[in-house]
Amino acid sequence: MIVEINGNPLDVELLGDDPQAPLLIAHHGAPGLGSKREPLAAFGHLADIFRVLVFDARGSGKSGDTPPFTHEQWVADIDALREWAGAERFVMAGGSYGGFLSMEYAIAHPDRLLALVLRDTAPDQGHDELALANARASARVEIDDEKLMRIMEGRVRDNDDFRDCWAEILPLYDFDFDPATLPERIASVDYHYATHNYAFSVNRHAYDVKPGLPGVSCPTLVTVGRADWITPVECSETIAELIPDSELVIFEKSGHSPPLEEPELFQSVVRRFLTERVLTAGR
């Protein structure tokens, strides 16, 4: 459904039949590329015990493109969705860039969260050089360095160029890569190059949540794939070290997306964590 949030239409889906169940809001990654399909695959299985809200963020998917595309605006949109869903407190979940925004929300609104679930994300941009080195060293594909830098620095020229640059680096993301899946994966994306460019050329330069993480007081699950090239394991280790009540789980046969590459294990880990730290703890 389309919901007007802070002056911009958002494509929202709310799963779960129990109106008394706690709310979980899941934020996708890759601004300008991502959509609610990613968090739906990761957290939709929890709709039997939570109300699960997934959405295309401002400037992504089927949602509107009203600027600004700042972290402050995206965090405000999350809080407005919480209010729309009628929850005082909720579980925040986010993967990759959605993890950036989940941590930003936890720092800005610490009393709102029952728990925090993070997937393949980072607390700052200190990993950029390692990510670029991983891309250039890949034996899977010979990367066009000019396209790599355009997408990583937020300098894509238009949506067609965005699609070409995305196709260039997409093979890096999987633990087990199947080239036959590439055409469908590239074609399935709604491209919003202006959103991506702002996020990667402006937002990321100022992004550093490390000083605020020790103040995150809710239980936090930090997950990451062992072979994640773009937000390597070291990033998640830093997050887990800084958040006092945190648990780190590394998925040994995953790249950047354990929910897709080790789905049964990922679902089991997340369900166990939320049952123990939210559902059982609240009784």
Side-chain angles (χ1 to χ4, degrees), residues 95-175:
S96 196
Y97 203 109
F100 297 1
L101 300 175
S102 298
M103 288 183 281
E104 297 266 29
Y105 186 95
I107 293 167
H109 302 283
D111 296 334
R112 290 291 186 195
L113 292 189
L114 298 168
L116 181 62
V117 180
L118 303 172
R119 191 271 303 162
D120 295 87
T121 190
D124 60 14
Q125 296 308 307
H127 62 286
D128 281 2
E129 289 305 316
L130 177 55
L132 291 173
N134 288 339
R136 291 164 177 151
S138 174
R140 180 174 291 168
V141 62
E142 186 174 344
I143 293 291
D144 181 322
D145 205 69
E146 212 278 325
K147 289 184 179 180
L148 172 67
M149 296 311 297
R150 281 211 306 282
I151 196 167
M152 294 295 286
E153 294 178 350
R155 296 186 288 105
V156 294
R157 299 161 185 155
D158 52 31
N159 283 337
D160 288 338
D161 186 45
F162 195 13
R163 184 183 298 106
D164 289 344
C165 292
W166 176 235
E168 188 72 19
I169 66 172
L170 188 51
L172 300 172
Y173 283 84
D174 301 340
F175 185 81

Side-chain angles (χ1 to χ4, degrees), residues 56-274:
D56 293 349
R58 178 182 301 256
S60 294
K62 304 299 184 186
S63 290
D65 288 325
T66 307
F69 305 125
T70 62
H71 286 196
E72 293 79 8
Q73 183 62 66
W74 283 322
V75 167
D77 289 349
I78 294 168
D79 202 51
L81 284 167
R82 170 200 63 77
E83 186 174 7
W84 174 82
E88 288 297 315
R89 302 182 70 206
F90 69 103
V91 175
M92 183 76 229
S96 196
Y97 203 109
F100 297 1
L101 300 175
S102 298
M103 288 183 281
E104 297 266 29
Y105 186 95
I107 293 167
H109 302 283
D111 296 334
R112 290 291 186 195
L113 292 189
L114 298 168
L116 181 62
V117 180
L118 303 172
R119 191 271 303 162
D120 295 87
T121 190
D124 60 14
Q125 296 308 307
H127 62 286
D128 281 2
E129 289 305 316
L130 177 55
L132 291 173
N134 288 339
R136 291 164 177 151
S138 174
R140 180 174 291 168
V141 62
E142 186 174 344
I143 293 291
D144 181 322
D145 205 69
E146 212 278 325
K147 289 184 179 180
L148 172 67
M149 296 311 297
R150 281 211 306 282
I151 196 167
M152 294 295 286
E153 294 178 350
R155 296 186 288 105
V156 294
R157 299 161 185 155
D158 52 31
N159 283 337
D160 288 338
D161 186 45
F162 195 13
R163 184 183 298 106
D164 289 344
C165 292
W166 176 235
E168 188 72 19
I169 66 172
L170 188 51
L172 300 172
Y173 283 84
D174 301 340
F175 185 81
D176 291 315
F177 172 59
D178 181 0
T181 67
L182 270 183
E184 192 279 329
R185 291 166 71 181
I186 294 165
S188 68
V189 173
D190 291 297
Y191 294 90
H192 300 250
Y193 83 97
T195 310
H196 169 85
N197 280 354
Y198 194 91
F200 276 68
S201 68
V202 179
N203 294 343
R204 289 173 79 250
H205 290 297
Y207 173 70
D208 183 353
V209 295
K210 294 194 305 299
L213 292 183
V216 174
S217 56
C218 65
T220 301
L221 175 65
V222 184
T223 69
V224 63
R226 176 67 73 184
D228 188 342
W229 76 276
I230 193 165
T231 49
V233 169
E234 293 92 326
C235 301
S236 290
E237 290 174 337
T238 298
I239 294 168
E241 289 167 3
L242 290 172
I243 296 178
D245 187 7
S246 64
E247 174 185 345
L248 174 65
V249 178
I250 301 172
F251 292 82
E252 298 295 338
K253 296 181 180 179
S254 291
H256 191 60
S257 187
L260 297 181
E261 299 188 275
E262 297 180 78
E264 292 183 2
L265 180 58
F266 182 84
Q267 291 177 17
S268 173
V269 167
V270 171
R271 183 174 289 262
R272 184 266 308 161
F273 172 81
L274 291 176

